[in-house]
Amino acid sequence: MFKTTLAGLLAHKLRLLLTSLAITLGVGFIAGTFVLTDTINAGFAQKFTADAAKISVAVLSKGEDHKVAAAELEKVRAVKGVADAQGIVSGTAALIGKNGKVAGDFPTAGISIPEGALNRTLITKGAAPKSAAEAVLDENTAKTRGFTVGDTITVLDSASAKQRFTLVGLFDVGVNQELAYTGAVGFTTDTARRMTGEKSFKEIDVLAADGVSPTDLRASVAAALGSAYEVKTGEKLAHDLAAANNMDTQFLTMGLLMFGMIAMFVAALVIYNTFNILVAQRAREMALLRCIGATKKQIFGSIVLESGVVGVISSVLGLLIGLGLGAGAMAVLGALDAPVPVGVGVSLTTRTILVGLVTGIVVTVAAALLPARAATRVAPIAALRSQVEESTVRTGVVRAVFGALFLLAGTGATVAGVSMEPGQSALVVVMASGAIFFLGVLVLGPLIIRPLGAFVGWVPAKIFGVPGRLAVTNSRRNPKRAATTTVALTIGVTLMTLISVITATTRETAGERLDKQFPVDYMIATQQRDSTIPRTLASDLRARPELASVVAIREAEAKVNGRRAEVGTFTADPAFTLTATKGSVKGLGPGTAGVSDGFAKNENIKVGDTVKVAGRDFRVVALLSDDTAPVYGVTIPERDFDSAFPKVADKQLLVNAKDGVTADRSRQIVEAAAQPYPTVLVASSREVRGAFDDALDQILMIITGLLGLAILISLLGIANTLSLSVHERTRESALLRALGLTRPQLRRMLSIEALVLGLIGALVGVALGVSFGWAATQTMMDDITFRAPVGQILSFVALSGLAGVVAAVLPARRAARASIVGSLASS
């Protein structure tokens, strides 16, 4: 039997290739995930090891402020065995771009670059700063802001005064995610302290003298500083940083593996369907083996052995593909300047090899067990049949009952999840209910495939005549096989539709909330979001005839009913109002106040009560929604605020252009007015919405790409199923040809059959995706605005049908080329 099984595999190489391709892709994705994250970890470890070699001991703060007092540096330098010690400065030093404005949405970090052996900063171009007039920039900031070595850069010091430096070098921020996000300017230590205003150090790095071990030096430094600080060896520091980094990559690994598991589940369905068809096609062959003495156990072992061989081959190929995917992903990350270490060799660990092989083999063998069990039921008398009979599915009561129970349980759990308070728990319940409901669809699949086939195939049957009617009949002939084939595609379309619905709903809801919070054309604020906008800017803008309204927002901290709270105000203007949940903002006049819902709840304040703000009583006339901006603990009229806080500058300006003024013209006016103030940034509501939309589109693109693997595997399943089905129906196809069906008509028939199967899977997936997409959005937040992207969803259906037709090209071509006489003679 062993030789017979191997001979059968070698005799059907194409069948072996098609069968193994699905598992190969699934294993490749999982292996690629591990290769990617293992390579990133190896790169990080390499960087940390290099850093650790440069220092012997690091002194860190145990407090939440992460500061080490400057006086401790001299204590460390006085410890016996210390060759050198340097304090590391980290603060804020805003870089001015070439447009005269601060660079970025957040202030650039100002850091110190130590001299000598303790310099852990990798200078990639030029040199480290050596004088008070020199500075370095991180590579990404220099690239995006157009600075090169030799340029003069302007940086704001802690007093917001402009200071100019010669750019002498560029450096790599390495694994520091914060610096990668904000950008950084590097100075000498003394200059960094002057620019940032920092009086303390972030940490103190220590170099041991010759012959002194890091462990002994750590003990000496710890004894000198006492228990107020944490003292680590360089090796321990590297280990802790690497461990913290591994937590991040573990999250990435789990996220990617989730899509890998989806791909493997789809692949398992394809393998199961493939072996089901193979067993049906080889019924006569197995019956002949039974006639010459093969036992049921040997037949079962033959199928399992075949699946094992397929699993081993596909898993090995999957590992090779995974290695390529991991290397490709690293190349893409490097091209996108992602903050990950590049230039290190691709890492393929023993764990990755074992997980890939075990997963592929186990999934393949498990998927083949039921077909192998069915093979043992082939009676020896089947060898006398002239033609293989297609298996049929019986509409059993047990199947219907179990399927209905799953559907009811899934529906009930969904209702329960939607009824819960929005949050993570409710979302988990809805997702679990979706999985339960899908199991019901899976069980009932063979029962619903016939009515769905009739519905989907009605138009093709009318349009394409005899080939169309034959195709629709063929798609409904074996419901169990058709259901298993289409469910793989259904999974992919369901998830893609669900993500699209969630994205569209989030986009619409967030857009409406942005319109409520910022019902203006332009928002003006400082980079650090503090109250430092001179009031003269608002006056200058109000003098422009092209602008309809300019609302100034101010805030201060004061005692409210005896406790510290934020107090705010805004310029009264018809174009800007706050949303009151109780009372009315129309009554917000002298001596009155609006209180936010959250503050009112905490302080038990109601409309009509009196609150004492900065020693003065105000009557509460409205409770304000926390969802609108700007809402502070207490909001009072502008004159009352200016009387209590006369020196507070504006925090934010909201500007509306007059009707008829173009966006370019109004933007030019607002930018020109703000130009004299380097720290003041102008953002349009269109830009804010655009940035949000871009972020959602990027997420959607990434998820669609990851789910695309599952869709590709499912289409391979359709092609494989159709190819094997063509082989199974060789005699039937030849008979149709003999009765007058032309080769183009035969190809058209098989293409329409694949089209119908693709549309069935897509329609079921769309129905599930929209339904559970709606349920998921109801658990995310209150007052959701549901949106289903109809155009996008219709494109999923159309692409699924088209992909099904493409998958049928080769099987249809093969069937049309077959000899009529030879096919009729075969049995």
Side-chain angles (χ1 to χ4, degrees):
M1 285 300 296
F2 179 77
K3 291 181 179 179
T4 302
T5 301
L6 293 182
L9 283 171
L10 294 174
H12 302 89
K13 298 181 181 67
L14 180 61
R15 185 179 72 192
L16 175 64
L17 176 64
L18 290 173
T19 305
S20 64
L21 196 53
I23 289 294
T24 297
L25 291 175
V27 172
F29 191 93
I30 291 175
T33 296
F34 281 120
V35 167
L36 173 63
T37 53
D38 286 347
T39 302
I40 292 175
N41 283 338
F44 281 150
Q46 187 181 75
K47 280 180 174 284
F48 291 137
T49 302
D51 289 346
K54 294 181 179 180
I55 66 172
S56 305
V57 170
V59 179
L60 306 168
S61 172
K62 289 183 178 179
E64 294 182 359
D65 59 354
H66 303 293
K67 301 292 185 184
V68 179
E72 307 299 341
L73 179 58
E74 295 306 321
K75 292 183 183 178
V76 173
R77 286 175 173 170
V79 173
K80 186 178 180 180
V82 171
D84 190 16
Q86 298 278 346
I88 306 300
V89 179
S90 180
T92 297
L95 173 71
I96 302 295
K98 292 188 174 182
N99 61 353
K101 292 289 186 178
V102 286
D105 293 330
F106 294 92
T108 312
I111 62 173
S112 62
I113 309 295
E115 298 179 8
L118 286 174
N119 180 13
R120 297 163 59 190
T121 306
L122 176 61
I123 303 296
T124 57
K125 190 173 183 180
K130 296 181 180 178
S131 71
E134 296 178 341
V136 293
L137 271 179
D138 71 279
E139 292 176 305
N140 187 55
T141 299
K143 180 180 178 181
T144 55
R145 302 298 167 183
F147 290 112
T148 58
V149 174
D151 288 349
T152 297
I153 61 173
T154 303
V155 185
L156 298 181
D157 61 20
S158 57
S160 295
K162 293 182 179 179
Q163 306 290 338
R164 288 176 173 80
F165 299 88
T166 300
L167 184 62
V168 296
L170 306 179
F171 68 94
D172 179 11
V173 298
V175 296
N176 192 318
Q177 299 295 304
E178 184 178 351
L179 296 186
Y181 184 68
T182 64
V185 189
F187 312 96
T188 61
T189 302
D190 290 339
T191 305
R193 296 183 70 180
R194 175 173 58 84
M195 291 297 296
T196 62
E198 293 288 340
K199 305 300 181 184
S200 305
F201 298 121
K202 180 183 178 182
E203 70 179 67
I204 295 176
D205 290 347
V206 186
L207 182 67
D210 293 339
V212 179
S213 71
T215 304
D216 293 340
L217 185 60
R218 190 206 70 80
S220 300
V221 171
L225 296 179
S227 61
Y229 299 100
E230 185 175 11
V231 183
K232 299 180 179 180
T233 63
E235 184 179 356
K236 180 67 166 60
L237 177 64
H239 179 272
D240 291 346
L241 290 173
N245 165 70
N246 282 337
M247 291 299 293
D248 292 336
T249 55
Q250 283 172 11
F251 180 79
L252 171 66
T253 303
M254 292 305 297
L256 291 174
L257 282 180
M258 180 184 70
F259 292 98
M261 289 299 105
I262 293 171
M264 287 303 295
F265 180 65
V266 173
L269 290 173
V270 172
I271 292 292
Y272 167 75
N273 209 33
T274 300
F275 274 97
N276 250 339
I277 298 172
L278 291 177
V279 167
Q281 287 180 352
R282 292 157 58 190
R284 194 171 185 215
E285 173 190 326
M286 288 182 290
L288 286 171
L289 290 173
R290 292 290 309 280
C291 286
I292 60 175
T295 64
K296 288 185 177 182
K297 186 176 180 181
Q298 287 176 316
I299 296 293
F300 181 86
S302 172
I303 303 296
V304 173
L305 175 62
E306 184 173 339
S307 68
V309 172
V310 170
V312 170
I313 294 174
S314 56
S315 298
V316 171
L317 291 175
L319 286 173
L320 296 176
I321 289 176
L323 192 63
L325 287 175
M330 287 298 298
V332 171
L333 290 175
L336 295 176
D337 292 326
V340 296
V342 294
V344 295
V346 177
S347 177
L348 183 62
T349 64
T350 304
R351 178 205 58 187
T352 302
I353 296 173
L354 291 176
V355 169
L357 289 175
V358 170
T359 302
I361 295 171
V362 169
V363 168
T364 306
V365 173
L369 288 179
L370 287 178
R373 185 165 174 249
T376 62
R377 297 174 182 173
V378 177
I381 194 66
L384 302 178
R385 293 174 184 164
S386 60
Q387 186 175 336
V388 175
E389 292 183 3
E390 286 194 284
S391 60
T392 57
V393 62
R394 290 177 293 178
T395 310
V397 176
V398 175
R399 179 185 292 272
V401 169
F402 270 97
L405 288 176
F406 277 122
L407 294 183
L408 288 174
T411 303
T414 302
V415 172
V418 171
S419 303
M420 295 169 63
E421 284 291 323
Q424 186 175 0
S425 299
L427 182 61
V428 170
V429 170
V430 167
M431 291 295 99
S433 67
I436 295 171
F437 193 93
F438 186 81
L439 287 176
V441 174
L442 193 63
V443 173
L444 294 177
L447 307 184
I448 63 177
I449 205 74
R450 280 178 173 156
L452 283 176
F455 172 74
V456 172
W458 186 79
V459 173
K462 294 291 184 183
I463 294 177
F464 297 105
V466 172
R469 291 194 293 273
L470 287 172
V472 173
T473 302
N474 285 336
S475 67
R476 303 170 62 207
R477 178 193 293 178
N478 193 325
K480 188 174 181 181
R481 178 194 300 171
T484 311
T485 301
T486 57
V487 77
L489 183 62
T490 298
I491 293 172
V493 175
T494 297
L495 293 172
M496 291 182 69
T497 304
L498 184 142
I499 296 299
S500 298
V501 167
I502 292 176
T503 302
T505 300
T506 303
R507 194 193 310 273
E508 185 68 22
T509 303
E512 290 184 357
R513 295 196 177 192
L514 282 173
D515 290 340
K516 289 180 181 179
Q517 292 181 0
F518 305 106
V520 292
D521 294 324
Y522 301 100
M523 294 161 283
I524 302 176
T526 61
Q527 192 181 55
Q528 293 182 308
R529 305 296 189 262
D530 52 8
S531 299
T532 56
I533 302 176
R535 294 193 181 188
T536 54
L537 177 55
S539 301
D540 293 342
L541 290 170
R542 291 190 182 104
R544 298 294 308 201
E546 297 90 348
L547 303 179
S549 64
V550 178
V551 175
I553 296 168
R554 304 183 192 106
E555 70 170 9
E557 192 175 274
K559 281 191 175 182
V560 178
N561 288 350
R563 57 162 287 189
R564 305 297 293 181
E566 287 184 334
V567 179
T569 190
F570 62 94
T571 305
D573 193 286
F576 181 80
T577 57
L578 298 177
T579 301
T581 56
K582 289 184 180 179
S584 173
V585 293
K586 292 181 180 179
L588 193 61
T592 64
V595 179
S596 70
D597 284 332
F599 188 79
K601 183 178 180 180
N602 292 335
E603 299 297 316
N604 194 26
I605 298 173
K606 302 181 293 295
V607 173
D609 289 352
T610 298
V611 293
K612 187 178 290 293
V613 180
R616 182 180 169 187
D617 290 337
F618 290 84
R619 182 172 56 87
V620 178
V621 295
L623 299 185
L624 305 176
S625 170
D626 292 319
D627 292 334
T628 57
V631 173
Y632 302 101
V634 178
T635 300
I636 59 179
E638 189 174 28
R639 286 188 179 181
D640 291 335
F641 184 93
D642 289 345
S643 176
F645 313 101
K647 295 183 179 181
V648 173
D650 294 334
K651 179 182 181 181
Q652 190 178 49
L653 299 179
L654 307 179
V655 182
N656 269 326
K658 283 186 177 179
D659 294 338
V661 179
T662 64
D664 290 340
R665 176 59 181 157
S666 59
R667 179 62 185 257
Q668 185 180 24
I669 291 168
V670 175
E671 287 280 11
Q675 187 63 33
Y677 311 102
T679 61
V680 174
L681 300 176
V682 178
S684 70
S685 55
R686 184 172 58 181
E687 288 174 347
V688 173
R689 184 189 289 270
F692 183 77
D693 287 343
D694 289 345
L696 283 180
D697 289 339
Q698 189 173 17
I699 292 171
L700 179 62
M701 181 179 67
I702 293 171
I703 293 178
T704 300
L706 294 173
L707 291 176
L709 181 67
I711 299 243
L712 174 62
I713 293 174
S714 64
L715 293 177
L716 285 172
I718 290 179
N720 201 17
T721 300
L722 201 60
S723 178
L724 294 169
S725 181
V726 165
H727 175 74
E728 185 176 282
R729 298 186 335 230
T730 300
R731 186 181 176 90
E732 174 189 314
S733 299
L735 183 60
L736 290 172
R737 291 282 314 284
L739 292 174
L741 198 70
T742 65
R743 284 183 174 179
Q745 285 178 320
L746 181 60
R747 287 196 296 267
R748 195 177 307 134
M749 179 190 77
L750 293 172
S751 297
I752 295 170
E753 183 179 343
L755 170 67
V756 171
L757 290 176
L759 290 178
I760 289 173
L763 288 178
V764 175
V766 164
L768 292 174
V770 171
S771 300
F772 285 96
W774 172 85
T777 57
Q778 302 307 304
T779 67
M780 294 168 63
M781 63 185 79
D782 292 319
D783 301 323
I784 202 81
T785 303
F786 179 73
R787 286 290 182 274
V790 177
Q792 206 169 43
I793 291 172
L794 289 178
S795 70
F796 292 157
V797 176
L799 288 174
S800 296
L802 178 62
V805 173
V806 172
V809 169
L810 290 179
R813 188 179 177 187
R814 179 185 174 192
R817 284 184 171 183
S819 166
I820 297 176
V821 175
S823 299
L824 287 173
S826 65
S827 57

